[in-house]
Amino acid sequence: MNFKEIAKTLIITGNSRRLHEMIDRFFINISNFNRESLTEMQNIQIEEMAVNLWNWTVTKRIELSVRKNQAAKLCYIACKLLCMHGISVSSEEAIQRQILMNMKTGKEWLNTGNPQIADEFFQAAMANLEKLYVRLMQSCYTEPNLSMYKITVEKGIFHVLSYQAESSVAQGDFKKSSMCILRCKDMLMRLPEMPWLQNIFIYSVITLELKQASRINTKRVHSGLDQSYEIGKMDNDSVEPQMLAKALRFLATIYLNYENEEYCNKALIAILLANKEHLDPAGLFLKMRILMKGKAWNDELLEAAKEILYLAMPLEFCLSVIQFLMDNKRDSVGFCFLRIISDHFTLSEDRKRIVLFYVEMLLQKDQDMIAEEKIKEILIDHQTRSRLTRDLVNWLHNILWGKAARSVEIQDYADALHWYSYSLKLYECDQADLDLVKLKRNMASCYLPLRQLDKAKEAIAEAEQHDPTNTFTQYCIFKIAIMEGDIYRALQVVCTLKKFLMDEESEDRGLIESGVSTLQILNLSIDFALENGQQFVAEKGLEYLFQLSKDPKEVLGALKKKEMDRLLNYLNTALLKISEHFDESPLDSTANDASWLRKIAWNLALQSEKDLEAMKNFFMVSYELSLFCPVDQGLLIAQKTCLLVAAAVDLEQGRKATTTYEQNKFLRTALEQIQKCKTVWNLLKQTGDFSGDDCGVMLLLYEFEVKTKTNDPSLERFLDSLWKMPGLQSTTLETIALLAMDKPAHYPTIAQKALKKLLVIYRRRKPVDVLKYSTCMHNLIGLLVSDEIWNIAVYPLKEVWNHLKNALNIISQNKGYPEEEIAWLMIKAWNIGILMYSKNKHASSERWAGMAMEFLGHLGSLKTSYEAKVNLLYANLKEALDKKVNLRSTEMTEWLKALTVPPKDQGSVPSTNTAAHNHV
């Protein structure tokens, strides 16, 4: 890429229709160049090129309608070239030029809403100011010069700080913004003789307040601007009217932001004062905005627009006002003012611009018939009398292409062709223009969906004649070939696209024209072939993508979900061929092919996350292909992930299986993948520190789940090694306890052992997590004293007693133990006591009832629901024990079972006592 030639082209032929494309191309590639890449150019040539480009940007941006973001890009390019590493700064003037360009470039990016890029240039400006200060101090010989130099540098620093404050506000960094403002304030104290700096300072403060506060203090802002205005009035020699007008415009803008008629009137007063101080296009335009916001009558708006003519504003400004009116649905005012300016501007060139603008507005407002009549008049005049300038021809092309593009968006291809036909007439005298080639391609693209293949072929043949290496031209040819069933021609195009991919220059051109690369065009071609049933052509394109693309995701970009089965078959076939010819093929070639296909399968697996079976299949193909690749840490990580996900999918499907046969099939497959993954995991751990990876825990839990649900004979041996594992985490034990009882598994002994280990862990932690402890205790007691079995002989009463005593200790020593759980444990103890009484174990019965009373003492809000009843029942039980009354008598049964009857306050009933109630 020749920067010098592009810069020269921009400056000499700046009105080219491809101006925006050239700017984008220049901007994209500037970061790829440094001083070493421009060895053929001397420093002074680079500097001259940068300065010329800068000056051209500043002077031509309005004339050529360069958008803000593109002007910012040009400033960026010029500034980067000037400040290129390796170019020495030879004078104070050169440093000052860099400071100015960095500040202005930063401001341009700030205005386009890119404060991060802006900060880069503000920092560079600040660094150059420091360089300038050192250089000036070295060359200073007198005290007056020293003072002047310091003021010069401080003024620059003041401006940069103001910009940095604004940038920080835009990024929400109000702390940094405030620091910049405070530094500005300190500088003002040292420079009291420059009140215009105070104006800048006030603007910065107000901007900060406007952005930082959700509701601004209008009185304070008004006061600050009044102060600025009064400073100017007191010293008209030092403060220019422009600065005073700027303060008033800023105040008007503040008022304009309020949704209030009163403030809208204040805004109008402020802008009238501003325009009186100094007339500026910004002030005139702001006045139109205020009138629009105030819902002014059409006559009032028209009078304000006429005022612009009396003040001799340029044509471009008048047209921007009309566009503003049109955008705000004041069409009648806009068209009326357009008629007025057509009489006001008498130059032929201006009249032509007005007519083109009129056509553009008519098309925007869907007045197509009137617009078409005007276009016909323009074409006749252009061909027979007064030719349009190149700039105006390009404008008319843009208008027509824009209208056609809007028709394409709604799939009205016939209408798009209608407007393209007018553009075609403009090219009758300029057949070599590459834009004509682009027009032919656009027309061919419209003929295709209309099935007008002969016209499409004719149009694309002309395009191919003038620009055969264009990827878009080749894509149109490909689509025609597919639609006609011409497989040979379609394959020719695919081969051509492959050559383009191998040719960096062709690839670069495809990217620059519209941001679509040759690789993406090949992707679209594959997609189009699949949609039209030409799988052979698609597979050939896919083969080239395998060979040439650097990113597997690009290969899959155009492929659709409905092709997943076909792709899985394709990958399995490739896997089979690789395995069959592994010993015959060169090792590097086989490894490269396997590595590429492995990545494809991996990406397809990621795309299939909503289809678990497909995801598992692609991951397993990826794993199988990886076995033909050189082993390194990255490959082992990929293998581990494939096998772990595949095992997880099979486990999930096993849980959902409706038959025992299906369940066992999925679980056995999962176990195979788990064993393979364990081998990979052991190898992987030898390559580095994987202490933060939970793969080992996942494999342990997966294997445990399979063995419990399939009643595996090796379960006992597995458990022996499991319990001996050091540092079993609480979450692992929790999961083991759940899985041991997850149907069809039924291993309460395993669950109990895991829960007991958990209780020990929870008790040792300080402070005790009472919520986790209470849950664990509930689950353990529920297993030991099952609600499904009401037989004292099977209860390990001594163990249960110890667990309940431990629970009482935790409850008494820690706050926050759930009341519902305390009540549940109380009922459990009471039920065991009553059961003991029924078996004539009176002493034990009283002991268990006493434990229930201890739990009662720890209740809070629930105590009122239970206290009276428990005390009464306990008294009844004592009486029964003393009198040795038979529990089975009706009266005693009613007395003692009352504890489990829900209290009247339903909000206080613990949900955990429901099962216990059924057995008492």
Side-chain angles (χ1 to χ4, degrees):
M1 180 178 180
N2 192 324
F3 273 2
K4 185 177 180 181
E5 290 301 318
I6 292 180
K8 187 185 297 183
T9 303
L10 276 173
I11 294 169
I12 295 173
T13 60
N15 58 351
S16 168
R17 282 194 70 244
R18 289 194 297 274
L19 171 64
H20 304 321
E21 294 175 4
M22 294 173 73
I23 293 172
D24 288 340
R25 179 182 184 185
F26 212 162
F27 178 70
I28 290 170
N29 286 277
I30 186 67
S31 59
N32 298 329
F33 283 78
N34 50 34
R35 185 63 189 91
E36 289 72 21
S37 64
L38 298 174
T39 52
E40 77 283 357
M41 296 181 67
Q42 297 179 2
N43 288 347
I44 191 169
Q45 291 177 306
I46 298 174
E47 187 174 358
E48 181 184 2
M49 179 173 67
V51 171
N52 288 341
L53 184 60
W54 177 275
N55 292 336
W56 178 83
T57 302
V58 172
T59 56
K60 293 285 187 178
R61 58 178 295 182
I62 297 176
E63 177 186 335
L64 299 175
S65 302
V66 176
R67 294 190 293 270
K68 279 186 179 181
N69 64 330
Q70 290 179 317
K73 288 177 181 178
L74 286 170
C75 290
Y76 182 102
I77 295 163
C79 198
K80 284 291 184 182
L81 286 173
L82 189 70
C83 304
M84 185 172 287
H85 178 69
I87 297 179
S88 60
V89 180
S90 57
S91 65
E92 290 89 350
E93 181 184 357
I95 299 176
Q96 287 179 323
R97 183 163 54 236
Q98 285 195 9
I99 292 168
L100 173 65
M101 290 174 69
N102 274 304
M103 282 198 297
K104 294 291 186 183
T105 302
K107 184 61 175 171
E108 287 285 349
W109 282 101
L110 194 57
N111 291 339
T112 61
N114 289 278
Q116 292 85 0
I117 299 178
D119 281 345
E120 174 189 342
F121 291 95
F122 295 147
Q123 290 166 8
M126 194 67 81
N128 283 326
L129 281 164
E130 293 173 3
K131 289 182 186 176
L132 178 63
Y133 182 76
V134 172
R135 184 70 65 89
L136 291 174
M137 292 302 101
Q138 290 173 348
S139 62
C140 176
Y141 302 104
T142 64
E143 188 64 30
N145 283 346
L146 178 64
S147 177
M148 182 182 68
Y149 290 159
K150 283 184 175 180
I151 290 174
T152 299
V153 173
E154 286 203 318
K155 283 162 56 181
I157 293 173
F158 188 94
H159 277 92
V160 175
L161 285 171
S162 299
Y163 293 151
Q164 287 179 324
E166 187 177 349
S167 176
S168 300
V169 169
Q171 297 177 71
D173 190 349
F174 298 115
K175 182 178 180 181
K176 181 180 177 181
S177 182
S178 299
M179 290 172 61
C180 293
I181 293 295
L182 289 174
R183 286 188 63 187
C184 288
K185 184 178 180 182
D186 292 341
M187 295 176 74
L188 282 175
M189 302 298 292
R190 299 195 298 272
L191 302 169
E193 72 280 5
M194 294 188 179
W196 62 273
L197 286 179
Q198 187 169 356
N199 284 279
I200 297 174
F201 173 66
I202 291 169
Y203 301 147
S204 300
V205 172
I206 292 171
T207 301
L208 176 63
E209 290 177 351
L210 283 171
K211 297 285 180 70
Q212 190 170 7
S214 58
R215 295 181 64 188
I216 64 170
N217 187 332
T218 309
K219 185 176 181 181
R220 180 178 173 187
V221 174
H222 195 169
S223 173
L225 284 163
D226 282 346
Q227 181 182 356
S228 173
Y229 186 72
E230 291 304 320
I231 289 172
K233 285 300 182 184
M234 287 188 295
D235 192 358
N236 283 321
D237 293 333
S238 63
V239 182
E240 297 179 356
Q242 291 96 317
M243 188 59 69
L244 298 176
K246 190 173 182 180
L248 286 164
R249 286 199 302 273
F250 199 65
L251 178 60
T253 303
I254 293 170
Y255 285 140
L256 188 61
N257 289 331
Y258 278 87
E259 298 293 335
N260 187 295
E261 185 178 350
E262 177 188 354
Y263 285 109
C264 194
N265 292 333
K266 289 184 177 182
L268 185 58
I269 293 170
I271 198 60
L272 291 174
L273 286 172
N275 291 344
K276 183 178 179 182
E277 286 291 337
H278 175 74
L279 196 59
D280 184 274
L284 293 170
F285 200 83
L286 183 56
K287 180 182 175 182
M288 294 295 295
R289 284 183 58 204
I290 294 167
L291 290 173
M292 189 70 71
K293 182 74 175 288
K295 299 179 181 179
W297 296 98
N298 286 348
D299 291 344
E300 192 175 357
L301 280 171
L302 185 59
E303 287 302 315
K306 289 178 180 178
E307 182 183 347
I308 293 170
L309 292 180
Y310 304 148
L311 300 169
M313 288 293 110
L315 174 61
E316 288 299 328
F317 182 76
C318 295
L319 295 180
S320 67
V321 169
I322 296 171
Q323 183 71 67
F324 172 74
L325 291 166
M326 296 292 193
D327 291 343
N328 286 275
K329 299 180 180 179
R330 297 296 185 101
D331 300 359
S332 60
V333 183
F335 282 124
C336 183
F337 187 50
L338 188 59
R339 286 193 294 272
I340 292 172
I341 66 170
S342 64
D343 294 332
H344 180 82
F345 291 94
T346 56
L347 292 177
S348 174
E349 187 74 8
D350 288 342
R351 287 179 176 273
K352 290 176 181 178
R353 294 185 75 84
I354 291 170
V355 172
L356 285 178
F357 182 82
Y358 181 42
V359 169
E360 188 170 13
M361 291 301 101
L362 287 170
L363 291 175
Q364 283 185 13
K365 299 300 176 179
D366 295 323
Q367 298 185 29
D368 294 359
M369 291 182 64
I370 303 175
E372 196 168 354
E373 290 299 320
K374 286 293 177 184
I375 290 169
K376 291 175 181 177
E377 292 175 9
I378 293 168
L379 288 174
I380 292 171
D381 192 57
H382 174 63
Q383 293 168 349
T384 59
R385 291 189 293 274
S386 176
R387 295 184 64 82
L388 297 171
T389 64
R390 188 63 188 169
D391 184 29
L392 294 180
V393 168
N394 288 336
W395 188 7
L396 181 53
H397 278 306
N398 285 332
I399 292 170
L400 294 167
W401 287 29
K403 176 62 176 174
R406 291 193 291 275
S407 296
V408 170
E409 285 178 5
I410 59 174
Q411 299 183 354
D412 190 348
Y413 301 106
D415 190 62
L417 286 166
H418 177 72
W419 296 104
Y420 278 137
S421 67
Y422 286 117
S423 182
L424 187 62
K425 291 179 181 178
L426 281 169
Y427 284 116
E428 289 178 352
C429 301
D430 192 8
Q431 293 291 322
D433 195 313
L434 278 179
D435 284 335
L436 174 60
V437 177
K438 190 173 181 180
L439 175 61
K440 290 290 185 178
R441 280 198 301 269
N442 290 348
M443 295 181 74
S445 296
C446 291
Y447 285 128
L448 287 175
L450 296 173
R451 295 285 171 176
Q452 298 179 16
L453 297 185
D454 290 340
K455 291 183 178 179
K457 288 167 69 175
E458 181 183 348
I460 208 64
E462 294 181 43
E464 187 180 20
Q465 182 182 355
H466 292 96
D467 191 15
T469 61
N470 186 279
T471 54
F472 299 97
T473 300
Q474 293 298 319
Y475 182 50
C476 284
I477 295 170
F478 177 85
K479 292 175 77 173
I480 293 170
I482 290 293
M483 293 173 74
E484 289 187 330
D486 189 346
I487 306 304
Y488 177 74
R489 185 73 175 105
L491 288 172
Q492 277 187 320
V493 174
V494 172
C495 291
T496 302
L497 291 175
K498 178 188 176 183
K499 291 178 183 177
F500 288 171
L501 278 169
M502 299 172 71
D503 182 353
E504 292 184 1
E505 185 177 345
S506 297
E507 170 66 5
D508 181 55
R509 182 174 172 187
L511 280 166
I512 291 163
E513 182 163 351
S514 68
V516 180
S517 68
T518 306
L519 194 66
Q520 289 170 304
I521 291 295
L522 184 53
N523 247 327
L524 291 171
S525 301
I526 294 169
D527 189 32
F528 191 76
L530 289 172
E531 287 177 353
N532 288 272
Q534 299 293 350
Q535 292 193 1
F536 179 75
V537 178
E539 287 178 6
K540 181 59 67 174
L542 191 60
E543 180 183 330
Y544 292 153
L545 283 177
F546 285 165
Q547 296 172 9
L548 301 173
S549 176
K550 298 176 182 178
D551 185 357
K553 291 180 181 177
E554 291 178 324
V555 177
L556 308 172
L559 299 175
K560 295 184 172 149
K561 288 288 183 181
K562 64 183 180 181
E563 297 296 329
M564 287 300 187
D565 290 340
R566 188 185 63 80
L567 288 170
L568 182 60
N569 291 334
Y570 180 87
L571 290 168
N572 277 316
T573 302
L575 172 61
L576 181 62
K577 289 181 179 179
I578 287 175
S579 61
E580 287 175 350
H581 303 287
F582 180 68
D583 296 329
E584 305 169 8
S585 305
L587 188 60
D588 289 344
S589 174
T590 303
N592 288 337
D593 291 343
S595 178
W596 178 249
L597 290 166
R598 176 183 73 80
K599 293 175 184 177
I600 294 294
W602 176 281
N603 281 285
L604 285 167
L606 296 180
Q607 291 187 20
S608 306
E609 59 180 345
K610 294 182 179 178
D611 184 345
L612 294 181
E613 182 66 20
M615 181 172 68
K616 181 196 74 172
N617 290 335
F618 281 120
F619 269 132
M620 285 307 297
V621 172
S622 182
Y623 166 74
E624 296 291 343
L625 286 163
S626 73
L627 299 177
F628 299 97
C629 302
V631 178
D632 58 17
Q633 188 185 75
L635 186 81
L636 290 171
I637 291 173
Q639 287 181 339
K640 177 205 74 172
T641 303
C642 288
L643 291 167
L644 201 61
V645 172
V649 170
D650 277 324
L651 280 172
E652 179 62 24
Q653 291 182 319
R655 295 179 195 123
K656 295 177 179 178
T658 56
T659 66
T660 304
Y661 172 78
E662 284 185 341
Q663 186 177 61
N664 285 333
K665 184 185 72 171
F666 284 123
L667 293 176
R668 292 300 177 191
T669 306
L671 188 59
E672 292 175 10
Q673 291 150 359
I674 291 165
Q675 299 301 342
K676 291 177 183 177
C677 194
K678 284 171 69 175
T679 303
V680 173
W681 175 238
N682 290 330
L683 290 172
L684 184 59
K685 287 188 290 185
Q686 297 173 18
T687 68
D689 180 14
F690 288 88
S691 55
D693 194 320
D694 59 358
C695 176
V697 175
M698 298 298 294
L699 288 172
L700 182 149
L701 294 173
Y702 286 176
E703 187 171 1
F704 178 75
E705 182 174 359
V706 172
K707 289 182 181 294
T708 53
K709 288 183 176 178
T710 58
N711 198 19
D712 194 311
S714 65
L715 176 61
E716 187 175 348
R717 187 171 65 253
F718 174 79
L719 286 170
D720 288 340
S721 61
L722 186 150
W723 299 130
K724 292 175 183 177
M725 288 180 65
L728 274 177
Q729 297 294 317
S730 58
T731 51
T732 306
L733 289 168
E734 288 169 3
T735 307
I736 288 172
L738 289 172
L739 290 174
M741 300 299 291
D742 186 31
K743 293 179 180 180
H746 184 76
Y747 293 91
T749 305
I750 299 175
Q752 290 171 24
K753 191 166 185 176
L755 291 169
K756 290 172 189 176
K757 288 180 177 291
L758 268 175
L759 286 175
V760 173
I761 292 173
Y762 291 148
R763 279 202 304 271
R764 287 175 179 171
R765 289 179 182 170
K766 300 298 180 185
V768 176
D769 189 332
V770 291
L771 295 178
K772 287 188 175 181
Y773 182 90
S774 66
T775 301
C776 185
M777 179 61 73
H778 184 110
N779 292 335
L780 179 58
I781 298 299
L783 286 171
L784 293 172
V785 186
S786 173
D787 293 329
E788 298 175 1
I789 303 172
W790 196 240
N791 186 349
I792 196 171
V794 299
Y795 292 163
L797 293 176
K798 185 175 180 181
E799 182 182 344
V800 174
W801 177 270
N802 290 333
H803 288 314
L804 293 180
K805 291 298 288 184
N806 288 335
L808 281 169
N809 289 333
I810 294 295
I811 292 167
S812 61
Q813 295 173 16
N814 299 274
K815 295 180 180 179
Y817 202 101
E819 272 196 274
E820 294 83 356
E821 292 299 321
I822 297 174
W824 187 82
L825 293 173
M826 175 187 72
I827 293 169
K828 278 289 184 184
W830 179 264
N831 286 349
I832 293 173
I834 298 306
L835 188 59
M836 299 289 278
Y837 185 90
S838 69
K839 299 297 182 181
N840 295 318
K841 298 181 181 293
H842 296 164
S844 296
S845 176
E846 184 176 3
R847 189 160 156 255
W848 283 96
M851 178 178 281
M853 295 295 290
E854 288 188 63
F855 281 112
L856 175 67
H858 291 290
L859 288 177
S861 60
L862 290 179
K863 193 171 185 180
T864 56
S865 301
Y866 284 107
E867 186 172 25
K869 295 176 183 177
V870 174
N871 285 330
L872 177 61
L873 291 170
Y874 187 69
N876 291 338
L877 180 62
K878 290 284 287 182
E879 181 183 350
L881 289 170
D882 291 342
K883 297 180 179 180
K884 297 182 180 180
V885 176
N886 184 359
L887 176 66
R888 299 188 184 280
S889 69
T890 304
E891 185 180 7
M892 277 305 297
T893 302
E894 290 300 321
W895 280 355
L896 298 179
K897 76 174 184 181
L899 174 60
T900 57
V901 175
K904 291 182 181 179
D905 181 5
Q906 294 296 314
S908 301
V909 178
S911 60
T912 51
N913 74 346
T914 305
H917 168 60
N918 295 331
H919 296 296
V920 175

